[in-house]
Amino acid sequence: AVAEGFSGAEQRAKLQEQEEAAVQVTQTALEFGKTYRGQIAFIALFELVERFAQAINRQGWICVLDVVRACVDADLVPRELRAIRDPTVEKLWVPRVSTLRAMYAAEQRVRAGDEQRVQQGGLLSAISSFWGGSGDQQPSGRQELRWRATPEMLAGLVARSHMAVRSSAIGELGSAVSQIGESLPVFLDVLAQLFPQPPPSQPGSPADATPQGDMVPAPIDSGSKNGAEYVPSAVYFFEIAVGLVLDAPDCAPIVWPAIEASVQRMLESADTIHPFALERTVAGILTMATRILESCTGHTPHQETVERMLRCLGLLRDSREQTFARVARVLSDGIARLVNTDAHMVVSVYNNWGIVRLLLKRLALVQDGCVRGAVGVFVEVVVLMRCGAVDVGAYYEDLLDTMAAFVPSD
């Protein structure tokens, strides 16, 4: 059954337990489980990646990441390797499509107070879309007929696939990439093409304009209200970039310029991005920016990188009300942590303050207590004004105007 009546960490723990207990059957997992040579080749591939990552060229990375994409979207990558590193949320991971549906459904039931229980499904109810398929992504009668085998046999094939992936060095991809030196921008350029992007059907969308557009997998319906599609591997790949910065903040001036254009396209079209993907993108940007400020002092290229990150986040001010509300919590908490880490750097640069101020005013319109953390930014600004770190005349009216936005109208 889908987790009901749970919120926060309890809901995530329940969903995590259910995801681990369920068996997701996909055509990719079944075919891979039947192919012993393919399993050996898979293990050998990532052994080579781990040992000789610096020798892989652009086309090689396209092939490697295409294999990783297939594994993530077929739910063959272990949950611990799909972990999301967010200091504000414990035990978060890149979920499978069915888990995300359950997460949103539970959230909606909690908000609506609906206590109606969801009927429990069996093994085959977890069947997801086929990798590389097209058209209807939902299980159909034709697809079910292709699997004329017992559930135990299907589960056995999927288990073999999981065993092969666990036996490989796919979990060392991030570590291997961090050691490739001058080749890092090449990897990042390929990686960025696989981030969440607007639907290809949009005129002028990045997927149509990008040479690697054929790398983007078929969309999977996860029940989002804005009609956007959720692709687990897209979030997974963005988290790889976040992990590179968190593990080695000194490489941020290399990582961010390589992925900035892709992230910018995403935030410019925030209303068409799946809510979970957008939320993790906003959280990831702020987590990277905070990590950079924690490790770097003085006016350096690292702080210029933070300024560029803030300019990207500023694009959210033009998003729809429903879209902005979805990311309000992570945006509020992230801005508060960023300012608390280095208020002088964030606020004393007037362009930075202008972006933060506009985002705070937009947060004030969100009817949710989750944005209260952003109010702490005002305290930091007042402290800077009192100690003479910023020009009182330039900031005083802005501060009053922003604070007034948080005052209830009644």
Side-chain angles (χ1 to χ4, degrees):
V2 175
E4 294 182 305
F6 290 92
S7 61
E10 291 184 349
Q11 175 186 317
R12 287 192 299 275
K14 183 69 174 178
L15 292 172
Q16 175 183 325
E17 177 184 338
Q18 293 174 350
E19 183 169 289
E20 291 178 345
V23 176
Q24 176 163 292
V25 180
T26 65
Q27 191 66 22
T28 300
L30 294 176
E31 294 297 332
F32 189 44
K34 292 189 296 184
T35 311
Y36 181 72
R37 290 181 179 179
Q39 296 166 25
I40 296 299
F42 183 91
I43 295 173
L45 171 64
F46 287 98
E47 184 73 19
L48 292 172
V49 171
E50 183 183 19
R51 291 171 177 260
F52 306 108
Q54 71 280 359
I56 302 176
N57 61 16
R58 179 184 179 84
Q59 188 59 42
W61 282 121
I62 290 176
C63 295
V64 170
L65 294 185
D66 195 44
V67 173
V68 176
R69 173 188 65 78
C71 286
V72 174
D73 290 338
D75 194 45
L76 295 179
V77 176
R79 186 188 55 80
E80 58 269 20
L81 298 183
R82 292 181 281 123
I84 292 176
R85 297 170 63 176
D86 188 329
T88 65
V89 183
E90 295 182 359
K91 298 180 179 179
L92 190 61
W93 72 101
V94 178
R96 63 173 63 151
V97 176
S98 58
T99 301
L100 194 60
R101 280 201 202 101
M103 193 179 296
Y104 282 155
E107 178 182 304
Q108 292 170 3
R109 283 193 297 275
V110 169
R111 291 183 176 181
D114 183 5
E115 297 182 354
Q116 180 181 2
R117 298 193 61 82
V118 177
Q119 295 181 353
Q120 185 174 5
L123 170 68
L124 295 180
S125 67
I127 294 175
S128 70
S129 62
F130 293 156
W131 170 49
S134 59
D136 185 11
Q137 297 294 323
Q138 300 299 324
S140 66
R142 182 188 307 174
Q143 292 170 347
E144 290 177 6
L145 288 175
R146 293 171 62 185
W147 296 343
R148 293 180 176 177
T150 64
E152 291 75 15
M153 183 177 296
L154 296 177
L157 291 173
V158 173
R160 291 181 191 176
S161 297
H162 279 280
M163 184 179 300
V165 174
R166 285 185 176 275
S167 300
S168 74
I170 191 172
E172 304 302 321
L173 178 62
S175 175
V177 167
S178 65
Q179 307 296 324
I180 63 178
E182 296 180 356
S183 301
L184 182 59
V186 175
F187 167 80
L188 291 169
D189 183 59
V190 176
L191 184 75
Q193 306 306 324
L194 296 170
F195 289 174
Q197 291 297 324
S201 58
Q202 281 192 320
S205 73
D208 293 330
T210 304
Q212 289 76 35
D214 57 341
M215 295 171 56
V216 180
I220 301 172
D221 177 26
S222 56
S224 64
K225 291 183 178 180
N226 65 353
E229 312 296 344
Y230 171 63
V231 180
S233 60
V235 178
Y236 177 82
F237 287 132
F238 181 76
E239 290 299 326
I240 288 179
V242 174
L244 289 173
V245 174
L246 297 186
D247 291 334
D250 286 342
C251 75
I254 299 175
V255 174
W256 182 253
I259 68 174
E260 184 175 17
S262 182
V263 175
Q264 183 176 338
R265 288 194 298 267
M266 194 191 323
L267 297 182
E268 285 175 344
S269 304
D271 296 323
T272 67
I273 301 297
H274 190 277
F276 182 79
L278 182 63
E279 180 181 316
R280 296 325 314 160
T281 300
V282 172
I285 294 172
L286 287 165
T287 300
M288 287 190 289
T290 301
R291 181 71 180 98
I292 294 170
L293 294 186
E294 288 174 344
S295 61
C296 306
T297 58
H299 189 74
T300 67
H302 301 83
Q303 294 184 344
E304 293 175 3
T305 300
V306 173
E307 293 176 16
R308 293 169 67 169
M309 290 177 171
L310 285 174
R311 286 198 293 270
C312 258
L313 287 173
L315 296 171
L316 289 170
R317 64 181 180 271
D318 298 323
S319 61
R320 295 174 184 168
E321 180 179 346
Q322 183 181 20
T323 302
F324 193 87
R326 183 70 200 183
V327 300
R329 180 183 294 276
V330 295
L331 186 62
S332 174
D333 293 344
I335 290 177
R337 284 188 292 109
L338 187 66
V339 173
N340 186 58
T341 300
D342 191 341
H344 184 266
M345 184 272 153
V346 177
V347 177
S348 63
V349 178
Y350 195 74
N351 288 338
N352 292 350
W353 166 240
I355 295 171
V356 170
R357 181 172 62 86
L358 290 176
L359 290 175
L360 289 175
K361 292 184 69 174
R362 187 78 193 270
L363 284 169
L365 301 177
V366 178
Q367 303 299 318
D368 195 333
C370 70
V371 302
R372 293 176 181 174
V375 178
V377 174
F378 302 140
V379 177
E380 299 291 345
V381 177
V382 171
V383 170
L384 291 175
M385 291 171 60
R386 292 188 62 180
C387 68
V390 297
D391 181 11
V392 175
Y395 285 79
Y396 185 71
E397 290 187 7
D398 286 347
L399 183 61
L400 288 182
D401 178 60
T402 309
M403 293 175 67
F406 284 83
V407 178
S409 57
D410 53 354

